[in-house]
Amino acid sequence: MLHGLVLAVVVAIFAMMLGKMFPIIGGPVFAILLGMAIRNSVGIGPTFKPGLQFASRQVLQWSIVALGFGLSIQQVAKTGMESLSVTAVTVAVAFGSAWLLGRWLDIPSKLQTLIGVGTAICGGSAIAAVTPIIKPEEHETAYAISTIFIFNIVAVLAFPLMGHWLGMSDQGFGMWAGTAINDTSSVVAAGYSYSESAGDYATIVKLTRATLIIPVCLILVGIQAWQHKKQGVGSFSLARIFPWFILWFLLASAIRSTGYIPEAWLAPLQLTAQFLIVVALAAIGLSSDLRRMVTAGMRPVLLGLGVWLAVCVSSLAVQHVMGTW
């Protein structure tokens, strides 16, 4: 197991360094791209497989738990209530459009779910959270993250221009960026390029939106249980597939909210969470066969584009109706 773990950590270190140099792209995306480049050029021997599997599953779950220490419930409560209606609509639109377009484009159901969750909640982090539950192929996870990344870059460049053209207020733009851009780093980049106030608001909206990964994961667990029962799988165990790491995530968030964790510990905890996620995504990239991704063609990209546009428009529409621009 050590060989694969060490390889994933080394790739993750380089990815974090590149992420600091190019923050718009970020370490997680670099991790999966570097991993895929190594896997599909030099190749990965069978010696590395056990460690890579461990990193892409167990380390992934640990990273989600560690993220809980950075999410204070008190911090997001007020802004969360303000953004709840817009967030609820955009999440519903994301899943609905992913299902409809996915069926029309004949895309595998697990890839539909990954792209829908990534667009609806928080990009690569949401994809990372649901991966241990639905257990997609490595290339499906890599394809979903790569698809989400494309539209993150477009959003960072296009959103501030569109916001000024539409004459949006700082709060209105922050709401739009926080509910319609996938990845947290891209939300921050777009929000603060508009204004400092918009960046602050967008960041809190995005953190609130990220908490929805908890009910989404629980719903997916329920669907898995129903499918196993319908198929008559005798060995099915709800306890076995239940995402216990989500409960640990809740506990971490509750501990963070009590204020008992020293302020000096918060930054290292968040850095640890981010690094663990990058290690896990590096392992996924190192396990991804690019040839299998190529056979999927452009359909997943078209699905990602359709879902993202639906979310962007629905967020603006709800704000327009509420008069919060």
Side-chain angles (χ1 to χ4, degrees):
M1 190 176 293
L2 187 61
H3 293 83
L5 277 173
V6 170
L7 179 59
V9 168
V10 170
V11 172
I13 290 171
F14 279 101
M16 292 285 281
M17 292 168 61
L18 288 170
K20 288 183 178 180
M21 295 170 61
F22 305 97
I24 290 179
I25 299 176
V29 174
F30 274 121
I32 202 163
L33 292 178
L34 287 174
M36 289 170 60
I38 295 171
R39 167 69 172 81
N40 294 279
S41 58
V42 180
I44 300 297
T47 308
F48 296 94
K49 189 173 180 180
L52 294 177
Q53 287 181 338
F54 180 83
S56 63
R57 289 180 171 87
Q58 274 71 29
V59 174
L60 196 57
Q61 295 180 18
W62 297 344
S63 70
I64 301 302
V65 174
L67 283 173
F69 289 107
L71 189 62
S72 169
I73 295 173
Q74 294 94 331
Q75 176 189 4
V76 302
K78 182 177 182 295
T79 301
M81 291 304 296
E82 292 174 353
S83 63
L84 191 59
S85 56
V86 181
T87 299
V89 170
T90 55
V91 169
V93 167
F95 283 112
S97 58
W99 182 71
L100 290 172
L101 285 172
R103 286 173 60 91
W104 182 57
L105 293 169
D106 194 26
I107 291 173
S109 61
K110 289 184 179 180
L111 185 52
Q112 288 180 33
T113 302
L114 291 174
I115 292 176
V117 166
T119 306
I121 310 295
C122 52
S125 297
I127 292 172
V130 303
T131 294
I133 300 172
I134 66 174
K135 296 180 174 63
E137 298 288 339
E138 282 84 357
H139 72 277
E140 290 181 317
T141 304
Y143 209 130
I145 291 176
S146 301
T147 299
I148 294 297
F149 161 68
I150 293 171
F151 302 112
N152 281 336
I153 296 299
V154 174
V156 170
L157 299 174
F159 264 52
L161 296 174
M162 288 289 293
H164 288 298
W165 180 67
L166 292 170
M168 302 184 76
S169 65
D170 289 343
Q171 180 175 332
F173 182 82
M175 179 76 77
W176 188 37
T179 54
I181 300 178
N182 306 323
D183 190 71
T184 302
S185 60
S186 299
V187 169
V188 171
Y192 284 105
S193 68
Y194 195 80
S195 73
E196 185 174 349
S197 176
D200 291 341
Y201 199 86
T203 301
I204 298 177
V205 171
K206 186 66 182 67
L207 289 173
T208 306
R209 178 179 160 202
T211 62
L212 294 179
I213 193 58
I214 298 167
V216 166
C217 283
L218 295 177
I219 290 170
L220 288 174
V221 168
I223 293 173
Q224 291 282 92
W226 176 76
Q227 288 178 341
H228 280 76
K229 184 177 180 181
K230 184 179 178 182
Q231 294 166 4
V233 179
S235 62
F236 171 74
S237 169
L238 180 61
R240 181 170 53 83
I241 71 165
F242 187 84
W244 297 104
F245 66 94
I246 294 295
L247 296 183
W248 289 111
F249 170 87
L250 282 171
L251 179 61
S253 181
I255 294 172
R256 164 71 174 85
S257 302
T258 62
Y260 288 136
I261 299 178
E263 197 71 26
W265 290 14
L266 296 179
L269 282 171
Q270 285 307 291
L271 184 60
T272 300
Q274 292 168 14
F275 183 69
L276 289 176
I277 260 196
V278 172
V279 170
L281 294 179
I284 289 172
L286 288 162
S287 305
S288 301
D289 189 344
L290 190 58
R291 289 171 295 182
R292 297 183 67 182
M293 292 175 63
V294 170
T295 59
M298 286 296 294
R299 290 175 299 151
V301 177
L302 293 175
L303 173 61
L305 174 62
V307 175
W308 181 61
L309 289 176
V311 168
C312 292
V313 172
S314 63
S315 176
L316 285 175
V318 174
Q319 286 199 73
H320 181 67
V321 170
M322 296 174 61
T324 57
W325 273 16

